[in-house]
Amino acid sequence: TFRIYFPRTEAALSAPSTAPTRKEGSERLLLVEDDRAVRELVGRIFRDRGYQVTVTADAGEALRAFAAAPDEIDMGMNGRELVQALHQIRPGVKALFISGYTEDEIVRRGLHDAGIAFLHKPFTADVLVDNVRSLLDAKPVTA
């Protein structure tokens, strides 16, 4: 047996606060993910939030897609060498690294530049979209 005690009050009940606003966008994203299931899920998450997504399985495929229309992609995701190649085509394109490795391990292996955003797996759809929205909304860094 257990008992729960609530404080007595005469105050009127109020409706629960509204859920956080879902962040959405219309920008075009380049998603690079070697795991098909993750690739499909993340692509669907962004499409459901209004983004246009070019989904690719590897860096070569992503680079070809980006080179074909560099001004149509607002953000690329995954791969240090890929991001460096994308910057050769369009300096300043934003990137979000996603990995199951810890951020310390990524930096130790030299796979990540400190100035590039990093998201550690696992994450929720909202956390993923919030990170992307924050990067897209950030003012460009001038050298």
Side-chain angles (χ1 to χ4, degrees):
T1 301
F2 64 93
R3 295 181 180 159
I4 302 173
Y5 296 93
F6 294 100
R8 186 178 293 214
T9 181
E10 300 298 325
L13 294 176
S14 61
S17 62
T18 59
T21 306
R22 274 180 36 155
K23 294 189 178 178
E24 298 186 353
S26 59
E27 291 88 353
R28 186 157 189 96
L29 307 178
L30 176 61
L31 170 65
V32 186
E33 172 58 55
D34 59 350
D35 184 305
R36 184 181 60 79
V38 174
R39 190 169 55 242
E40 290 174 1
L41 175 63
V42 172
R44 188 172 63 243
I45 288 169
F46 283 116
R47 285 187 193 99
D48 288 350
R49 308 264 176 120
Y51 292 93
Q52 301 172 58
V53 185
T54 299
V55 179
T56 61
D58 60 51
E61 184 182 349
L63 189 54
R64 286 188 295 277
F66 188 82
D71 293 327
E72 294 180 17
I73 304 242
D74 297 305
M75 186 172 167
M77 299 168 65
N78 205 340
R80 178 179 175 213
E81 294 82 12
L82 175 60
V83 171
Q84 290 171 342
L86 298 180
H87 282 163
Q88 293 297 315
I89 298 168
R90 182 172 158 206
V93 69
K94 297 175 182 184
L96 174 63
F97 284 86
I98 299 173
S99 177
Y101 289 115
T102 65
E103 188 168 9
D104 289 344
E105 182 66 11
I106 296 290
V107 171
R108 188 182 69 73
R109 291 179 179 215
L111 302 174
H112 171 66
D113 295 325
I116 295 179
F118 176 81
L119 180 60
H120 186 266
K121 292 178 184 177
F123 48 79
T124 65
D126 287 336
V127 168
L128 174 63
V129 174
D130 287 351
N131 273 262
V132 167
R133 184 75 261 152
S134 294
L135 283 169
L136 289 168
D137 291 343
K139 296 195 185 303
V141 177
T142 56

